[in-house]
Amino acid sequence: MTTTQVRATCPHDCPDTCALLITVEDGVATEVKGDPDHPTTAGVLCTKVSRYTERTYHPERLLYPMRRIGNKGEGKFERITWDQAIAEIATRLTAIAARAPQAILPYSYAGTMGQVQGDSMSSRFFHHLGASLLDRTICATAGFTGYKYTIGATIGTDIEQFQDARLILIWGGNPIASNLHFWMRAQEAKRNGARLIAIDPYRSLTAEKCHQHIALLPGTDAALALGMMHVLIKENLIDEDYIAQYTLGYAELKARAAEWTPERVADTCGISVDEVVGLAREYGQAARRGEPVAIRTNYGVQRVRGGGMAVRTIACLPALVGAWRHPAGGIQLSSSGSFPTNKAGLQRPDLLKTEVRTINMSTIGDDLLKDSSPAFGPKIEAVIVYNSNPLAVAPDSDKVMRGFAREDLFTVVLEHFQTDSADYADILLPATTQLEHVDAHSAYGHLYMMANNAAIAPLGEAKPNTEIFRLLAARMGFTDPCFRESDDELAAQAFNNKDTRAIHFDWESLKRTGWQKLNMPAAPFAQGGFPTPSGKCEFYSASMLADGLDPVPNHIPPYESVASNPVLAARYPLAMISPPARNFLNSSFVNVTSLRSTEGEPRLDIHPDDCATRGIADGDMVRIFNDRGSFVAKARVTTKARAGLVVGLSVWWKKLASDGKNANEVTSQALTDMGRAPTFYDTLVQVEKSGQTPVFLLGV
Ligand code: SF4
């Protein structure tokens, strides 16, 4: 028996981007474990990816190209050859491109996050074709936009410093489920005597383990940050020297914060005055003592109407108290802006010869149902889906389903499994998993460039995304040499962006070592140097004003809440959020039986008071509904959800739920204040007993 160990990288949509060691015995991957030498992975993987061999060798892996033989959505296919599949796709796309290339739409996100298999050859292909561009907004663009207005780039506190913080605010995230290696650092800080405070409408696993949990109403985070500022300024818990040297617009911020008294904030957020004042004092007094105070904010904050402004407002706090002076102080939203990724080289936007429209992936439900018009452009006639599962993850799901059910829509899906979206494919293509292809990765939770070597040969006839687009380009007569570059040639360009900070990057050496840290200062903004137009942390942003936004931090009420929309709330009085279930990663891993069995079934956490008025008992099947749609789940009566809030842990595959639906039946396509992102947590619903028998397809 030949046994080897291969260096790889977790490709999933998670900030931790773990370094993996794959044990391969006679060509079969037998174990996936975390690299003990990688400083942030530290030999630990989450429960999901530690089962990666179960996922890779899953009996339902797609192994051959297939053509639809049933109705759309029925999921009936027949096996075809690669030659037939490529020929049919090329014929269909060529015909559409001859008339209206923008009628072709790529649809992809971060199911596989690598620089190579994510978007390199695929982007080149669509750019050359003149297809519509896709605005990839579904996760992070609201927060990124708000953070960039304030800090200048998505650069923040290094995860490797958090264990030295004395106070950590975990704001809008559940790292035990979705940022495990940050949580390990936070635990270390706790053992060293740090205080951990969770700010989250839901008492998540993480919130339960923090010293304090502030359960504010969804969509009110900016108000809480403004209330903190009010107290910090009033009680002179600010760093005047840091403010004077390294910030812009303090006077305007002070005036705005003055409007947000603790009483007003408490009323807006649904918390007590003591919680507002106490939080501000803990934060400001620790900073005043010279202790590192750090914020880990995450994407929960930004999935509401004012999500971009909320992140921006929170991002002002470290500069106000001078927290950036310390390596373990400051804030982290994402580390992605630290990487000198070479998107232009990989994706080749120069291949696009004419101006084309951009379709927002968060409004795919509406856009697939639109006819041609001068405002919209040509009706969408073809969608090529890769690294994504829009039928499960996109908001306002009934419209998404109706769009993909259009008989006149040509749909190609590249996938590992027959997902909800795959059921609507005309041609379904088997893609390789991370163990079967090469990739180069940046991260959004640490500062290491990462390599992924192929550990095993592709299963069945699966091919990497890159190879599929290479084949299509060749069949469609694209002659530019860039369409013949190998995956290694693509990976070698991943971080050689000459326009940004120079680092030594050598792909062959990265493949051997597996990872290499960027050359970043330990405290990136200790002496200012913010990559904003002014070079300062911008409390006042002229760029925002130019973009038609309030230039000073503010609270923007949700579209749907009891306070902001009482008419709607009279019919749908409960706020709903749908954060990630611990054993799923968005809609990945839902079909891995051991993980799904641990999750059990779609559940709705609901407060005892809200159950009492509805006659709902623990374990009852309930129907969650609003004007957009409905889904059923099993009620879990718990105070983890505050009164007035229900929580549906997600994202379930619809076909694995008893009613064929999931939480996105009730979420909306309304967009955030900035970044054109979805507002998944800005949703009012009503809940009633459904009377349905709780039968779930756990064996599927
Ligand atoms: S999903 Fe996240 S925590 Fe799990 S192995 Fe991948 S990067 Fe690590």
Side-chain angles (χ1 to χ4, degrees):
M1 179 181 289
T2 316
T3 303
T4 54
Q5 199 164 60
V6 179
R7 289 190 178 281
T9 299
C10 176
H12 288 283
D13 190 359
C14 168
D16 300 23
T17 313
C18 288
L20 311 179
L21 294 175
I22 316 297
T23 303
V24 182
E25 296 176 349
D26 283 346
V28 176
T30 54
E31 187 183 29
V32 174
K33 61 182 185 183
D35 184 346
D37 296 327
H38 184 259
T40 61
T41 305
V44 176
L45 299 182
C46 62
T47 47
K48 300 168 283 252
V49 172
S50 50
R51 315 273 175 92
Y52 210 75
T53 55
E54 188 182 341
R55 185 176 190 274
T56 301
Y57 296 109
H58 195 293
E60 291 162 10
R61 264 292 298 276
L62 297 175
L63 298 176
Y64 312 102
M66 294 194 285
R67 179 195 287 128
R68 179 169 64 89
I69 52 173
N71 293 323
K72 293 216 175 193
E74 214 177 355
K76 289 189 180 159
F77 296 94
E78 64 178 1
R79 181 175 172 180
I80 56 175
T81 67
W82 270 107
D83 200 48
Q84 288 171 310
I86 296 295
E88 187 164 334
I89 298 166
T91 301
R92 294 291 296 265
L93 296 187
T94 300
I96 297 169
R99 285 183 288 103
Q102 292 183 74
I104 299 167
L105 177 70
Y107 194 99
S108 74
Y109 199 66
T112 294
M113 285 207 75
Q115 301 290 317
V116 176
Q117 305 303 338
D119 267 305
S120 60
M121 198 57 77
S122 50
S123 291
R124 294 177 178 188
F125 175 81
F126 290 112
H127 287 146
H128 187 279
L129 200 55
S132 289
L133 297 172
L134 183 73
D135 205 357
R136 292 177 169 82
T137 58
I138 204 160
C139 182
T141 49
F144 273 29
T145 307
Y147 194 89
K148 284 184 193 169
Y149 280 133
T150 312
I151 305 294
T154 48
I155 295 173
T157 313
D158 183 350
I159 183 180
E160 292 180 75
Q161 302 290 343
F162 271 91
Q163 70 282 352
D164 295 328
R166 299 294 296 171
L167 172 67
I168 304 178
L169 309 187
I170 301 174
W171 201 322
N174 177 13
I176 291 179
S178 54
N179 190 188
L180 182 64
H181 298 81
F182 161 77
W183 179 246
M184 287 159 57
R185 300 269 169 173
Q187 289 288 90
E188 194 180 335
K190 192 177 175 187
R191 286 194 294 275
N192 294 338
R195 283 249 314 157
L196 308 185
I197 301 178
I199 302 169
D200 189 330
Y202 179 59
R203 199 172 74 236
S204 66
L205 290 171
T206 302
E208 279 177 344
K209 290 182 166 47
C210 288
H211 295 98
Q212 187 184 355
H213 172 214
I214 298 177
L216 76 184
L217 289 165
T220 63
D221 303 83
L224 180 56
L226 286 161
M228 288 176 70
M229 292 174 189
H230 181 101
V231 176
L232 291 168
I233 293 168
K234 191 172 170 196
E235 301 190 2
N236 195 27
L237 292 170
I238 56 175
D239 185 333
E240 288 176 355
D241 177 58
Y242 192 93
I243 291 168
Q245 289 197 68
Y246 306 129
T247 73
L248 181 75
Y250 174 66
E252 290 89 342
L253 184 75
K254 185 178 177 184
R256 178 60 51 76
E259 299 168 15
W260 288 89
T261 62
E263 292 73 20
R264 182 183 176 195
V265 171
D267 186 51
T268 304
C269 299
I271 57 178
S272 70
V273 170
D274 284 350
E275 285 176 300
V276 180
V277 175
L279 178 67
R281 285 184 182 154
E282 272 203 68
Y283 186 70
Q285 288 170 355
R288 173 56 59 89
R289 290 193 297 271
E291 296 173 0
V293 293
I295 301 173
R296 176 62 167 120
T297 191
N298 222 307
Y299 299 102
V301 168
Q302 54 139 52
R303 305 211 193 289
V304 292
R305 179 187 181 191
M309 186 64 98
V311 171
R312 158 167 170 65
T313 307
I314 294 165
C316 289
L317 287 166
L320 200 60
V321 299
W324 288 116
R325 292 184 188 277
H326 305 276
I331 181 169
Q332 190 194 78
L333 170 69
S334 166
S335 61
S336 59
S338 308
F339 287 84
T341 44
N342 180 17
K343 284 198 168 22
L346 290 170
Q347 300 178 6
R348 297 289 307 274
D350 58 297
L351 293 168
L352 193 53
K353 297 300 179 209
T354 55
E355 200 170 317
V356 297
R357 70 177 171 191
T358 299
I359 298 288
N360 187 346
M361 69 188 307
S362 301
T363 54
I364 188 69
D366 278 343
D367 290 341
L368 281 180
L369 296 173
K370 283 181 181 160
D371 278 324
S372 301
S373 72
F376 182 62
K379 180 177 183 173
I380 297 170
E381 295 181 50
V383 185
I384 291 78
V385 179
Y386 53 104
N387 303 339
S388 187
N389 182 9
L391 265 293
V393 304
D396 204 353
S397 200
D398 181 61
K399 283 188 177 168
V400 180
M401 184 273 293
R402 284 195 275 132
F404 275 98
R406 274 176 40 203
E407 273 305 323
D408 63 342
L409 181 74
F410 178 61
T411 302
V412 179
V413 176
L414 286 59
E415 252 302 351
H416 302 144
F417 297 103
Q418 196 171 326
T419 60
D420 291 330
S421 301
D423 284 347
Y424 287 81
D426 293 286
I427 301 287
L428 181 52
L429 301 176
T432 45
T433 68
Q434 189 75 345
L435 301 193
E436 302 152 61
H437 58 227
V438 165
D439 217 328
H441 290 256
S442 59
Y444 63 99
H446 64 60
L447 297 172
Y448 291 84
M449 298 179 290
M450 307 287 292
N452 184 73
N453 294 283
I456 57 173
L459 267 63
E461 295 181 6
K463 292 185 189 297
N465 290 350
T466 43
E467 179 62 10
I468 294 170
F469 286 103
R470 257 184 228 111
L471 290 171
L472 280 170
R475 182 67 65 117
M476 292 172 73
F478 297 0
T479 54
D480 191 300
C482 76
F483 292 109
R484 294 193 291 278
E485 285 180 6
S486 69
D487 286 2
D488 274 308
E489 287 170 319
L490 289 164
Q493 300 167 56
F495 301 111
N496 63 354
N497 183 355
K498 294 190 173 50
D499 296 336
T500 59
R501 194 170 30 77
I503 51 164
H504 176 70
F505 163 63
D506 175 70
W507 172 238
E508 288 306 319
S509 125
L510 191 69
K511 282 209 294 185
R512 281 193 299 277
T513 59
W515 35 272
Q516 179 191 339
K517 193 167 188 182
L518 300 175
N519 184 22
M520 292 288 289
F525 306 123
Q527 272 118 31
F530 292 89
T532 54
S534 65
K536 298 184 172 187
C537 176
E538 297 201 352
F539 296 153
Y540 179 93
S541 166
S543 306
M544 293 182 74
L545 188 64
D547 293 341
L549 298 163
D550 187 338
V552 184
N554 206 353
H555 166 61
I556 299 170
Y559 292 110
E560 300 187 9
S561 73
V562 173
S564 65
N565 196 338
V567 174
L568 188 69
R571 287 188 292 143
Y572 305 118
L574 299 170
M576 190 194 87
I577 61 173
S578 45
R582 185 179 186 178
N583 291 286
F584 306 154
L585 208 164
N586 301 325
S587 74
S588 297
F589 297 99
V590 181
N591 64 322
V592 176
T593 307
S594 61
L595 294 169
R596 190 171 69 253
S597 302
T598 309
E599 281 303 318
E601 61 216 334
R603 277 185 305 234
L604 188 82
D605 282 6
I606 180 167
H607 191 274
D609 292 353
D610 294 319
C611 289
T613 52
R614 292 169 176 79
I616 294 168
D618 192 64
D620 280 350
M621 293 302 292
V622 292
R623 177 172 167 265
I624 303 100
F625 62 99
N626 59 20
D627 287 341
R628 291 178 286 270
S630 69
F631 69 104
V632 298
K634 187 185 269 190
R636 183 163 60 181
V637 181
T638 171
T639 56
K640 284 162 74 79
R642 55 172 291 160
L645 175 79
V646 292
V647 181
L649 297 175
S650 291
V651 177
W652 278 85
W653 284 18
K654 296 167 145 195
K655 67 166 88 176
L656 297 178
S658 61
D659 61 343
K661 296 178 177 180
N662 71 14
N664 281 321
E665 297 292 329
V666 296
T667 57
S668 89
Q669 294 180 76
L671 299 178
T672 50
D673 54 339
M674 55 187 88
R676 291 163 47 82
T679 52
F680 290 110
Y681 300 172
D682 194 329
T683 301
L684 283 175
V685 297
Q686 181 57 291
V687 177
E688 65 182 12
K689 271 176 88 159
S690 82
Q692 184 172 330
T693 311
V695 178
F696 291 95
L697 310 175
L698 290 177
V700 173

